[in-house]
Amino acid sequence: MTVATSRHPAPAHPEPAGVDNRLVVGGAALTWRSLPTPTLPDPAAVLAHSAVHALTAARQHAVHGTELLLSTASRVDEAMRAELLEAGFTVSVLDDDGVHPSAPARSRAAEPGRLWLLTSGSTGRPKRVGHTLDTLTTVRADQPDRTWLCPYAPGTYAWWQVVTLSLTQPGQHLVVVEPDELDDWPSVAAAHGVDAASGTPTFWRRTLYRDAEALARVPLRQITLGGEPVDQAILDQLREVFPAARISWIYASSEVGASIVVHDGRAGFPVDWLDRVTPGRPTLSVRDDELVVTSPYHGAGLAGPIRTGDRVQVLDGRVLITGRLDSDEINVGGSKVSAGVVRGVLAAHPAVAWARVTGRRAPVLGRMVVAEVVLAPADPASTDPGVPDEAALVRWCADQLPEHAVPRRIRVLTDIPVKETLKSDV
């Protein structure tokens, strides 16, 4: 790699505590210290060509405090690029040949130490949310030595969570996988001693579906899920493969930071966590079936209670996050159906590897519930007579759901869909 080195006369900040942690990216073993620090304009919107270029930009920010928005080119369309230029960013492609800048429409003073994240765009166009390394660093207590897998797209909130852990904590090493390595990540992880991995439920379901035996060979001691609703089925499937691992799910977003961490192996969080005020920790509440978070890790200008746009349901002493408000509720002839609840029922079927539930227009009821599923590979040792058909899956749902919530159509897909964000818009 031949990225130009920085001409800054001296670091603006001390080297981060994890500077000597090991990094494996593109098959090469590096450390944070050995990465070059590219010469970046300030403020800069950096479109990283690969994982290693993203890591060099992160280290450059940690050392020099350059105002930075980091992304991949695929997440920044022409409209977003124009918006960034208008906002005073120099939009710069960072690759092996160095930095390729496009000048902003107007120059402005940089804001030292500011990091900008693009939201996932699940509710429309991505928005910019301001943070700092401090607000993105939510793990502060000493941690046991770990080698973490980082499968996330550079510049996303989840990517920064893993990266800041490695930057700030000695003994937190990283193995970064590129998009073209995702299908084969268990072999990469096993080869480099990965014992901790973070991913979306879709990421874990897809791995279990494609090669559960290869996954079982990775010596995982810590498994983390987040970014999508986490149901009991995926927690139970991971526990079966890794009975001794700590399995955690995290609720986090660009706006409110990492706000919920649950380690007890159950979907949702205890209802007695609601409205509990603890200094230095997020406060959780529910208003009109919506999760509301007041967090010390919030983005710039977002202090106070933040309506998250995520729908919740209280059931058996647990607060379950079922999905986005604008897509989770399906009105069937005046009766409300939670797509997340129906999805959880389908995902609990032993032959279902993944499910998505939506509403479709219907002439009499207005909307009806429909679903897509991916069936799990057949178990050669199983005595089950065969693969369930649509009628069998409908009966499964009918045994556990009210009649208006039962899917009227269930389509079988051949593979689990996944986006660059490792989500599948369930």
Side-chain angles (χ1 to χ4, degrees), residues 279-306:
R281 293 183 177 273
T283 300
L284 314 172
S285 56
V286 176
R287 296 180 190 169
D288 303 320
D289 297 329
E290 181 180 6
L291 180 66
V292 178
V293 178
T294 304
S295 173
Y297 309 120
H298 62 78
L302 296 174
I306 301 296

Side-chain angles (χ1 to χ4, degrees), residues 87-231:
F89 291 92
T90 297
V91 179
S92 303
V93 175
L94 180 60
D95 60 20
D96 280 350
D97 295 322
V99 181
H100 309 280
S102 297
R106 61 178 180 85
S107 61
R108 65 170 174 85
E111 187 177 352
R114 175 64 69 207
L115 276 173
W116 295 95
L117 278 62
L118 290 177
T119 62
S120 63
S122 58
T123 58
R125 280 190 56 74
K127 302 184 294 290
R128 295 195 310 275
V129 178
H131 276 277
T132 64
L133 274 181
D134 188 61
T135 61
L136 290 176
T137 304
T138 53
V139 178
R140 300 178 186 275
D142 290 342
Q143 301 294 309
D145 287 4
R146 291 276 190 265
T147 297
W148 284 88
L149 185 86
C150 183
Y152 296 110
T156 58
Y157 184 86
W159 183 87
W160 276 113
Q161 286 291 280
V162 182
V163 164
T164 57
L165 178 62
S166 181
L167 271 171
T168 62
Q169 292 264 1
Q172 302 302 305
H173 311 291
L174 283 188
V175 175
V176 183
V177 293
E178 298 276 20
D180 61 359
E181 297 176 308
L182 276 176
D183 287 346
D184 195 36
W185 78 258
S187 63
V188 175
H192 294 288
V194 167
D195 59 3
S198 174
T200 62
T202 293
F203 169 82
W204 290 109
R205 284 193 170 93
R206 201 163 183 265
T207 305
L208 287 163
Y209 172 73
R210 285 174 168 260
D211 198 341
E213 290 185 0
L215 176 60
R217 289 193 288 271
V218 183
L220 293 178
R221 294 184 290 160
Q222 171 66 57
I223 295 171
T224 303
L225 304 88
E228 294 176 303
V230 177
D231 57 53

Side-chain angles (χ1 to χ4, degrees), residues 23-34:
L23 307 175
V24 176
V25 56
L30 308 165
T31 66
W32 285 107
R33 189 187 298 277
S34 69

Side-chain angles (χ1 to χ4, degrees), residues 390-407:
E390 180 183 16
L393 292 173
V394 169
R395 288 194 298 273
W396 170 271
C397 292
D399 287 342
Q400 302 174 69
L401 295 167
E403 195 272 339
H404 63 271
V406 175

Side-chain angles (χ1 to χ4, degrees), residues 1-9 33-41 56 59-60 64 94-99:
M1 179 174 157
T2 57
V3 174
T5 56
S6 175
R7 292 188 296 272
H8 290 279
R33 189 187 298 277
S34 69
L35 287 175
T37 52
T39 302
L40 295 179
T56 63
R59 178 168 186 258
Q60 198 275 356
H64 296 290
L94 180 60
D95 60 20
D96 280 350
D97 295 322
V99 181

